[in-house]
Amino acid sequence: MLRYAFRRVLSALPIAFIAVTVCFFILRLAPGGPFDTGRPLPPNVLANVRAYYNLDQPLFTQYLLYIGGVLRGNLGPSMAFYDFNVSQLLAIGLPFTLTLGFSAFVIATFVGVLAGMVSAVYQNKWPDYVLVLAVMIGLVVPNFLMGALLQLWFGVYLRWLPAGGWVTGSITHLVLPVTVLAWPHAARISRLMRGSMIEVLGTNYVRTAKSKGLGSRLVLARHAIKPAMIPVVSYLGPGLSYLLTGSIVVEQIFGLPGIGRYFISAALNRDYGLVLGTTLFYMLLILVLNLIVDLVYAWLDPKVRYS
Amino acid sequence: MENVLEISDLNVSFALHNSEVHAVRDLNFSLRAGETLAVVGESGSGKSQSFLSIMGLLARNGRATGSAKMGDVELVGMPPRQLDKYRGKDIAMIFQDPMTSLNPSLKIKRQLSEVLVKHQNYDEKKALKEAIEMLERVGIPSPERRANAYPHELSGGMRQRVMIAMALLCRPKILIADEPTTALDVTVQAQMLDLFRSLTKDFGTALVMITHNLGVVAGVADRMMVMYGGRAVETGHVDDLFYDPRHPYTLGLLSSTPNPAERAKRLTPIEGLPPSLEHLPKGCAFNPRCKFRFEKCFEERPPLEPFGEAERKKACFYEGQLLAEERSA
């Protein structure tokens, strides 16, 4: 198991390197630059600014400079927020994004697995129908619409919950954004879980477990959940990227000062350093979480460890 | 001898979209303590479904009626929660495919010990010790090491041995083995039959061997019941049925089984196909394939009735010693 974990960590490094390289060059292919918007600068000032940020160097030299910086832990300056470097901006946004993303991830996984299990056990009975309806809503209503609707109902008409904003330590401010972010994620997990659970409940080994007289609770808890979780766990990795891209939109709708908001404004401003920094951050997050997912996967399915 | 299982008028049916299929009809038989009963028939003859229904393991759309009494306990219609007190303890089952019948994500020891924890209230440690002893008993080398393995690390024969060990942990009164050797190599099959013979003898367990392989029947069984189209068509002692079959279907099964003593003889297959349970022929279900049929067979269904002395029953109108007649023909 340890050797497996070590191998997986090693294989994540080249992926990170390739991703940074691709992002760097794609970003430079896009038209425009960080100083093309707003008031036009006098040519000699522009030349000075460009020289300050190394933008006058050949592209490949800039790339090497950037990679060198990243390896030394320096993500470089932001070109739109003059007073901060990229690392500082990430540090400011990080607590919000992580709180939002982590709560949504945990809640969605838990709710999704539970809903899928209930659906499977009560297949084609009313609890299943109710849950399938909730799943469909989560899948078809886009998050910006769902966000607006929930803000309107619970924030404006009913006044039960704040419609947006952030107050440190306040859970009520988290309820709506987490719901919007988690719903589609939970819906996909629930669908996967329902399908795989129905399959597992029909397998020979579940029949064996029943024939041993273990009782339906033990059959479900010990013999069915673990194998049924395998497709769910392999989805959690890719699912996470849905969650993160969703969090960019959700932060914007609910006015949360997370990294997602920097990401959008940075992309619009061609703030090269900040776009690359946030991309790098999201990528590392996804790699690390995928790694965790793979390790859980190996624990669930003993055959994986040896292949 | 005392009967451990008494089946009367057992019927199993499955609800389809707008029809019902009867997989087992009016089954009556008893199982004596310590004996081995072979249940023989083609696929779809209802042999597996009759016993799955007793274990409460029918598919969701399946329904069983009639009676299956284990001592004073009526198993048919018993709610699963109550059934759990008996299955795995007094009545255990072994399935056809050892490759898929063990849980791939749990260690062998867990799958064994949980039976004892549940039914005998053992603590985990004592259950594990007993489980390892049982693994040794069914002929698994270095049982401590195997107990820590996952099913995919064992061969098919090993896994079936584990299944047998699992079923026998609580020394059940009745063991139902549903084609336990079908998925195994021929060499392993013979070992497995030896194991069944010696263990059921040691534990005094009555064994029901569901099979379509008459070689298996000859090797282990005391009595046999032949099923066709969901009904029992002939029952009796194995020797009687082998040397003097009285139902044309039993004869057909025997003629289509290789016999080393008659190596030169060509095998005779049973003409035609097994019947569809939804459209059974009128009269005797076997009549389209029967060599001995006459008018009555198309009009009336022959009941399963006793004849002769040695506890034999058959469901056939034709009187005569089929094997002798076929040989002289």
Side-chain angles (χ1 to χ4, degrees), chain B:
Chain B
M1 215 188 292
E2 181 205 358
N3 286 345
V4 283
L5 188 65
E6 194 83 58
I7 309 275
S8 33
D9 299 322
L10 184 70
N11 278 274
V12 177
S13 60
F14 292 92
L16 300 182
H17 279 298
N18 37 28
S19 63
E20 211 177 22
V21 173
H22 288 270
V24 180
R25 288 173 196 255
D26 307 326
L27 199 62
N28 286 284
F29 72 88
S30 50
L31 182 68
R32 293 163 202 163
E35 78 164 341
T36 297
L37 172 74
V39 180
V40 183
E42 291 166 301
S43 320
S45 61
K47 55 193 193 309
S48 296
Q49 295 304 333
S50 16
F51 291 94
L52 286 174
S53 77
I54 296 169
M55 294 291 287
L57 296 174
L58 288 179
R60 292 165 87 97
N61 59 345
R63 201 170 59 93
T65 57
S67 158
K69 286 192 111 166
M70 187 174 63
D72 298 328
V73 184
E74 173 60 63
L75 296 172
V76 172
M78 184 184 265
R81 188 169 297 199
Q82 239 178 310
L83 206 51
D84 285 331
K85 279 188 232 156
Y86 303 103
R87 47 182 181 185
K89 183 165 183 265
D90 297 319
I91 180 167
M93 191 154 180
I94 294 169
F95 299 95
Q96 175 171 359
D97 188 1
M99 308 310 265
T100 59
S101 293
L102 288 167
N103 193 320
S105 56
L106 293 176
K107 284 183 179 171
I108 300 290
K109 61 176 178 188
R110 192 72 191 273
Q111 300 189 50
L112 287 171
S113 66
E114 64 181 359
V115 180
L116 291 165
V117 172
K118 161 83 190 182
H119 292 298
Q120 315 279 32
N121 279 324
Y122 283 9
D123 58 56
E124 195 65 46
K125 207 175 143 195
K126 191 173 171 200
L128 185 63
K129 194 168 157 269
E130 182 110 7
I132 288 173
E133 271 167 30
M134 187 56 89
L135 285 177
E136 187 153 25
R137 187 101 197 233
V138 297
I140 289 183
S142 49
E144 284 94 355
R145 203 158 54 85
R146 305 289 183 198
N148 269 309
Y150 287 94
H152 73 271
E153 299 170 73
L154 303 184
S155 68
M158 282 292 172
R159 284 189 229 185
Q160 197 59 297
R161 282 175 200 269
V162 170
M163 290 294 293
I164 295 172
M166 199 154 81
L168 291 175
L169 276 172
C170 296
R171 319 275 153 121
K173 283 187 272 191
I174 304 164
L175 175 62
I176 300 164
D178 186 359
E179 309 216 11
T181 59
T182 307
L184 302 175
D185 288 344
V186 184
T187 47
V188 184
Q189 282 187 14
Q191 298 170 7
M192 223 48 79
L193 292 180
D194 282 340
L195 191 61
F196 272 111
R197 242 187 324 238
S198 66
L199 285 177
T200 49
K201 201 172 150 214
D202 290 355
F203 296 162
T205 298
L207 175 65
V208 176
M209 180 73 81
I210 303 171
T211 182
H212 56 247
N213 184 342
L214 289 177
V216 170
V217 178
V220 296
D222 304 312
R223 288 193 304 143
M224 72 188 269
M225 173 165 77
V226 180
M227 288 185 76
Y228 189 82
R231 292 178 193 273
V233 293
E234 186 166 9
T235 64
H237 287 279
V238 170
D239 289 348
D240 293 343
L241 264 75
F242 269 57
Y243 292 113
D244 182 18
R246 292 301 184 94
H247 192 286
Y249 179 61
T250 315
L251 175 71
L253 285 178
L254 287 168
S255 319
S256 57
T257 305
N259 180 352
E262 301 175 17
R263 219 182 298 175
K265 202 177 144 240
R266 285 184 72 92
L267 291 178
T268 326
I270 307 176
E271 298 292 329
L273 295 168
S276 149
L277 291 171
E278 281 170 280
H279 309 285
L280 283 181
K282 193 166 175 286
C284 173
F286 190 60
N287 67 36
R289 305 168 77 182
C290 185
K291 283 186 271 184
F292 299 88
R293 64 193 171 190
F294 53 102
E295 301 83 54
K296 201 180 176 190
C297 305
F298 293 93
E299 281 144 29
E300 231 181 287
R301 187 174 49 75
L304 185 71
E305 280 180 337
F307 69 95
E309 56 275 30
E311 298 181 275
R312 294 192 61 178
K313 288 182 185 175
K314 63 166 179 164
C316 183
F317 292 128
Y318 192 84
E319 306 289 344
Q321 296 186 309
L322 306 180
L323 195 60
E325 285 181 29
E326 198 189 46
R327 289 231 168 105
S328 63

Side-chain angles (χ1 to χ4, degrees), chain A:
Chain A
M1 192 79 184
L2 258 174
R3 274 186 52 191
Y4 176 78
F6 185 67
R7 268 206 325 251
R8 293 288 299 117
V9 172
L10 277 188
S11 69
L13 291 176
I15 297 175
F17 176 74
I18 292 167
V20 173
T21 308
V22 171
C23 284
F24 182 89
F25 288 105
I26 283 185
L27 194 59
R28 292 309 174 88
L29 280 176
F35 311 108
D36 294 346
T37 50
R39 195 157 46 90
L41 297 169
N44 52 345
V45 176
L46 188 62
N48 267 340
V49 171
R50 287 177 64 87
Y52 176 75
Y53 290 115
N54 291 325
L55 292 177
D56 53 345
Q57 309 266 356
L59 193 57
F60 195 69
T61 315
Q62 290 183 43
Y63 169 70
L64 291 181
L65 284 169
Y66 183 72
I67 292 291
V70 169
L71 288 180
R72 273 175 270 126
N74 177 12
L75 293 176
S78 163
M79 295 166 198
F81 301 89
Y82 308 114
D83 299 332
F84 300 93
N85 65 31
V86 173
S87 307
Q88 284 167 333
L89 287 172
L90 288 181
I92 295 169
L94 195 60
F96 305 102
T97 298
L98 282 189
T99 312
L100 182 66
F102 188 70
S103 337
F105 182 72
V106 170
I107 290 172
T109 309
F110 186 74
V111 170
V113 166
L114 201 68
M117 264 172 55
V118 172
S119 264
V121 172
Y122 292 95
Q123 193 192 348
N124 299 336
K125 303 209 175 94
W126 71 263
D128 184 26
Y129 292 130
V130 171
L131 286 169
V132 167
L133 181 73
V135 164
M136 286 319 285
I137 291 174
L139 288 180
V140 297
V141 180
N143 51 12
F144 53 86
L145 180 62
M146 180 71 81
L149 287 175
L150 292 184
Q151 278 175 326
L152 203 60
W153 287 330
F154 294 102
V156 180
Y157 295 154
L158 294 170
R159 296 189 170 279
W160 287 356
L161 294 163
W166 180 283
V167 174
T168 308
S170 154
I171 290 177
T172 52
H173 282 82
L174 269 175
V175 175
L176 288 184
V178 167
T179 307
V180 174
L181 193 55
W183 198 332
H185 195 62
R188 285 188 208 96
I189 289 175
S190 160
R191 257 164 54 121
L192 276 174
M193 188 69 188
R194 179 179 183 273
S196 74
M197 194 70 176
I198 287 173
E199 203 184 308
V200 166
L201 288 179
T203 57
N204 286 342
Y205 57 84
V206 165
R207 187 178 61 181
T208 306
K210 282 187 201 162
S211 83
K212 292 194 277 185
L214 296 177
S216 52
R217 201 173 302 171
L218 205 57
V219 169
L220 208 62
R222 187 179 294 163
H223 285 267
I225 290 183
K226 222 172 134 182
M229 283 287 288
I230 289 175
V232 172
V233 170
S234 57
Y235 168 75
L236 288 183
L240 218 71
S241 46
Y242 280 110
L243 200 72
L244 289 175
T245 42
S247 100
I248 294 173
V249 177
V250 169
E251 282 175 23
Q252 195 76 18
I253 297 174
F254 288 92
L256 305 179
I259 294 176
R261 279 186 47 171
Y262 291 124
F263 187 73
I264 291 181
S265 63
L268 293 176
N269 294 333
R270 300 281 186 277
D271 186 344
Y272 293 145
L274 191 52
V275 172
L276 280 175
T278 43
T279 310
L280 192 66
F281 168 76
Y282 277 132
M283 189 186 65
L284 284 180
L285 201 62
I286 289 174
L287 280 177
V288 168
L289 291 169
N290 264 319
L291 186 67
I292 295 173
V293 164
D294 281 347
L295 294 181
V296 174
Y297 197 92
W299 172 70
L300 283 176
D301 186 356
K303 283 180 225 170
V304 171
R305 286 173 223 168
Y306 304 94
S307 53

